[in-house]
Amino acid sequence: MMFVRPSSEFIALCQAQVYVLVQGLGATWCAVYLTEKWVEGVNPNLVPVVVYPDASIVRYAEEQPDKSGKGWQKSNPPFPRYLPESQRSLKGREDKIADRTLEKEFIAREGKIKDLWGKRQAMLPLLYEEEVLGVLVTRRDDREWEKRELAQVENIVRTLAIARYLDRQQGWTKEQLLQQQLSIAAQRDRFDDLLHQLRNPMTALRTFGKLLLKRLLPGDKNSEIAENLIRESDRLQTLLKQFDVYLDEMSQDAATLIDSPPQKLLPESKSSSKSSPLSLLPEARLRLQTFPISEVLNPLLQSAAAIAGDRGLEFRMDIPDDLLPIQADANALREVLNNVLDNAIKYTPRGGYIAVEAGLDHENGLLQGVAIRDTGYGIPEGDRDRIFDRHYRGIQEEGEIEGTGLGLAIVKGLIEQMNGKIEVSDNLQGDRLLGTAFMIWLPLA
C-alpha cells in the first residue's frame, strides 16, 4: 500500500500538538511517526514526520549558546521540525539508535501493539478503528508523568489518529481524482482527434448537398433529398459542437474536484450517489419554446420515408395541418423522434410498414401525442421494464442487428426534461399482434 504523504494541515496540527507537550507538559523530546496499515508480526516501517528537538537544532544550540552561557532556554524551545521526505532516514548516531529501539518496542510481544509507559517516557499508537496509523513518542528528563498529564497525552494521540485517518482518506481521494483527470484528459485528446476527422467529411457533405440543390431544376423530386442531406449535415454539426462543449464541461468538473478544499473531498459515507443518465444534450442546454410539432416532425418524416422505401418498407403518415403548438426544445425533440423512427425502421423486416400519427390527445388536453407504430419483431413483456435502461438490449442482444442500447435511454431522458412522457405497447390491429407502438406525449403551450 502506497504511503500517503501528510498534508501541510496535518503537519501543522502535529507541530502544534508536540508544542503543547513541550510547553505545557515539559517534554524534552517528542516525535510523531507514521506508518501504513498495521499487519501483526511485520515491521511497520515507521516514517518520522515531526521531531522535537531535531538533532541539527540541538547541535546548533550547543554550538551557539545564548549570551548568558546557559545554552538553549527551555522557556523558549524551537518549534517542532517537519522532516522533508529527503531527510526522513534519521541522521546521526543517536537518532538511528533511537529509531531501532522504537521499532523493537513497537513490534514487541509478537507484534501486538501496546501502550508503553515508562516513568519518564511514553509511547502510544495512533489508533483509529483498530488500525495503527502511526505512533507518538515523548519523554521528559526532569520528572515522572502524572496521571492527569498522561490523560492529556492520550487526548493528543486520539486527535492525531483521527486527523491522520481523515488526512490519508483525503490523500487517496485526491490521488484517485487526479488519475481520473489524467484519464479524462487522455480521452479528451482521442475525442478531439475523432471530432476533427468527422468535421471535414461533414462539411464536405453539406457542400455537396448545396451544389446538388443548385443544379436541380425547380420542382425536381430529388430536391427533397438534397435538402434532407443539407439538414442532416447541419444536425450532425450541431451535435458535434454540443459534444465538444460537453467534453469541456467534463474536463472542468474534474479540475474543480482536484482543486476543491479538503472538506469537500472527505467522504461522509461509503455509499456513492446515483448518477443521472448521460444524454447527448446536457440538461442546461435545453430551451423550452413554443412551436408547432410539425416544424420538427415533417422534415424528419421525409428522411425516414426515403430510408424506409430504400429498405422495402411502407411508410404511412397522418399529420393534421391544424396541430396545436407544443412547448419543447426543438433540438431535443428532433433527437427523440429521430431515435424512435430509426429503431422502428431498423427492427422492421422487409415488406412491413411504419405508421406515424400526430395530434393525439391525452390527460384532458394537457398533452399532445405522436404515435410511431411498426410491424417489427416486437418487445417481449419481460424486456418492457428495462428497455429505457442504458446499454440494455434484451432479446435483441442475441440477434444480428447491431446496436448500443443507448437510443431509448437518451429518448426517455430528453422527454422527461421537456416535462413529457413516453409509453410503449404492442401494435395491435384487431386481435393481431403486428409489432411495437411508441407514444410520445409533450405538453401543449
Side-chain angles (χ1 to χ4, degrees):
M1 187 179 296
M2 177 185 65
F3 178 79
V4 178
R5 294 187 61 182
S7 65
S8 58
E9 292 85 358
F10 178 75
I11 294 300
L13 176 65
C14 289
Q15 291 174 321
Q17 296 300 310
V18 168
Y19 204 71
V20 169
L21 289 171
V22 175
Q23 285 283 66
L25 300 177
T28 54
W29 187 84
C30 295
V32 176
Y33 296 80
L34 297 180
T35 184
E36 285 308 310
K37 190 171 183 178
W38 170 257
V39 179
E40 289 191 2
V42 178
N43 191 317
N45 191 26
L46 300 173
V47 179
V49 289
V50 173
V51 174
Y52 169 83
D54 180 65
S56 60
I57 297 177
V58 173
R59 285 192 293 272
Y60 178 82
E62 292 173 350
E63 296 169 2
Q64 302 288 336
D66 61 14
K67 295 180 180 180
S68 65
K70 296 180 181 180
W72 197 270
Q73 296 294 311
K74 289 187 178 181
S75 60
N76 186 27
F79 201 70
R81 183 165 181 257
Y82 166 56
L83 298 182
E85 192 170 358
S86 60
Q87 299 180 18
R88 285 182 192 159
S89 57
L90 298 177
K91 296 180 180 179
R93 183 173 177 273
E94 300 86 351
D95 290 331
K96 290 181 180 179
I97 294 174
D99 190 35
R100 285 198 299 271
T101 302
L102 176 61
E103 289 195 11
K104 288 180 180 178
E105 292 176 341
F106 196 67
I107 60 175
R109 302 191 182 184
E110 297 181 356
K112 295 182 180 179
I113 298 299
K114 296 288 182 181
D115 293 351
L116 300 180
W117 291 99
K119 292 182 178 180
R120 298 183 179 182
Q121 176 173 306
M123 183 179 76
L124 291 91
L126 306 185
L127 191 64
Y128 186 83
E129 294 186 348
E130 299 183 355
E131 181 181 353
V132 178
L133 306 175
V135 62
L136 169 71
V137 184
T138 184
R139 183 183 72 243
R140 64 184 183 187
D141 300 329
D142 56 347
R143 63 189 186 278
E144 298 179 2
W145 294 100
E146 298 178 5
K147 186 175 182 180
R148 172 185 57 84
E149 295 172 327
L150 297 182
Q152 290 182 257
V153 178
E154 290 175 345
N155 287 334
I156 289 174
V157 167
R158 280 193 292 269
T159 298
L160 293 180
I162 295 172
R164 175 53 183 168
Y165 173 80
L166 295 177
D167 189 62
R168 191 181 64 175
Q169 294 299 107
Q170 175 191 332
W172 284 342
T173 304
K174 277 197 169 185
E175 180 61 29
Q176 291 173 357
L177 291 174
L178 179 60
Q179 294 303 319
Q180 291 180 12
Q181 187 182 35
L182 294 175
S183 176
I184 290 173
Q187 293 179 21
R188 176 61 197 268
D189 289 341
R190 290 195 293 271
F191 279 129
D192 283 340
D193 293 343
L194 290 173
L195 290 174
H196 179 74
Q197 294 172 30
L198 284 172
R199 286 190 185 98
N200 291 336
M202 288 301 101
T203 303
L205 285 174
R206 192 176 192 279
T207 303
F208 294 151
K210 285 185 174 181
L211 291 174
L212 179 61
L213 190 60
K214 288 180 180 180
R215 295 187 179 187
L216 295 174
L217 296 175
D220 193 319
K221 294 182 178 180
N222 293 319
S223 297
E224 291 184 359
I225 298 177
E227 290 172 354
N228 287 335
L229 180 62
I230 296 172
R231 182 168 49 252
E232 291 302 308
S233 298
D234 290 340
R235 174 170 165 264
L236 285 172
Q237 291 283 9
T238 301
L239 288 175
L240 289 175
K241 289 180 181 178
Q242 292 169 345
F243 190 55
D244 202 18
V245 170
Y246 186 70
L247 289 176
D248 281 336
E249 292 174 351
M250 286 180 61
S251 300
Q252 292 170 8
D253 289 345
T256 301
L257 285 172
I258 293 295
D259 297 332
S260 294
Q263 60 268 24
K264 292 186 178 181
L265 293 173
L266 295 178
E268 296 181 0
S269 66
K270 295 182 179 180
S271 62
S272 58
S273 61
K274 187 176 181 180
S275 58
S276 59
L278 172 66
S279 66
L280 286 179
L281 302 175
E283 293 185 17
R285 302 297 177 188
L286 292 190
R287 296 177 57 190
L288 301 182
Q289 297 176 320
T290 300
F291 58 88
I293 194 172
S294 55
E295 288 186 1
V296 174
L297 183 58
N298 286 340
L300 291 176
L301 293 181
Q302 294 175 12
S303 300
I307 296 172
D310 185 61
R311 297 189 180 187
L313 303 175
E314 181 185 353
F315 200 85
R316 306 173 184 177
M317 292 178 284
D318 182 8
I319 314 297
D321 295 329
D322 57 347
L323 291 176
L324 295 175
I326 61 169
Q327 190 173 51
D329 180 285
N331 288 329
L333 180 58
R334 190 174 292 111
E335 281 300 314
V336 167
L337 295 171
N338 191 75
N339 271 286
V340 178
L341 285 168
D342 181 66
N343 276 354
I345 295 172
K346 184 165 59 174
Y347 292 107
T348 300
R350 181 175 292 272
Y353 73 80
I354 311 296
V356 181
E357 182 182 1
L360 304 176
D361 182 80
H362 190 52
E363 293 189 1
N364 297 323
L366 296 178
L367 298 176
Q368 182 180 137
V370 176
I372 300 176
R373 300 182 176 91
D374 62 61
T375 55
Y377 303 110
I379 301 174
E381 193 68 31
D383 289 343
R384 295 280 175 86
D385 294 337
R386 297 197 58 192
I387 60 171
F388 296 107
D389 293 349
R390 289 177 61 80
H391 299 293
Y392 183 78
R393 300 190 65 213
I395 194 172
Q396 297 298 339
E397 190 75 37
E398 304 172 4
E400 297 180 355
I401 300 175
E402 294 183 356
T404 61
L406 293 175
L408 291 178
I410 293 171
V411 164
K412 188 173 186 294
L414 292 176
I415 288 178
E416 289 178 348
Q417 290 178 49
M418 293 185 288
N419 303 313
K421 61 182 182 179
I422 184 170
E423 299 171 347
V424 58
S425 62
D426 294 326
N427 180 23
L428 299 174
Q429 185 174 350
D431 295 333
R432 292 178 60 202
L433 173 61
L434 301 178
T436 306
F438 281 91
M439 296 297 306
I440 298 168
W441 301 104
L442 295 167
L444 287 168

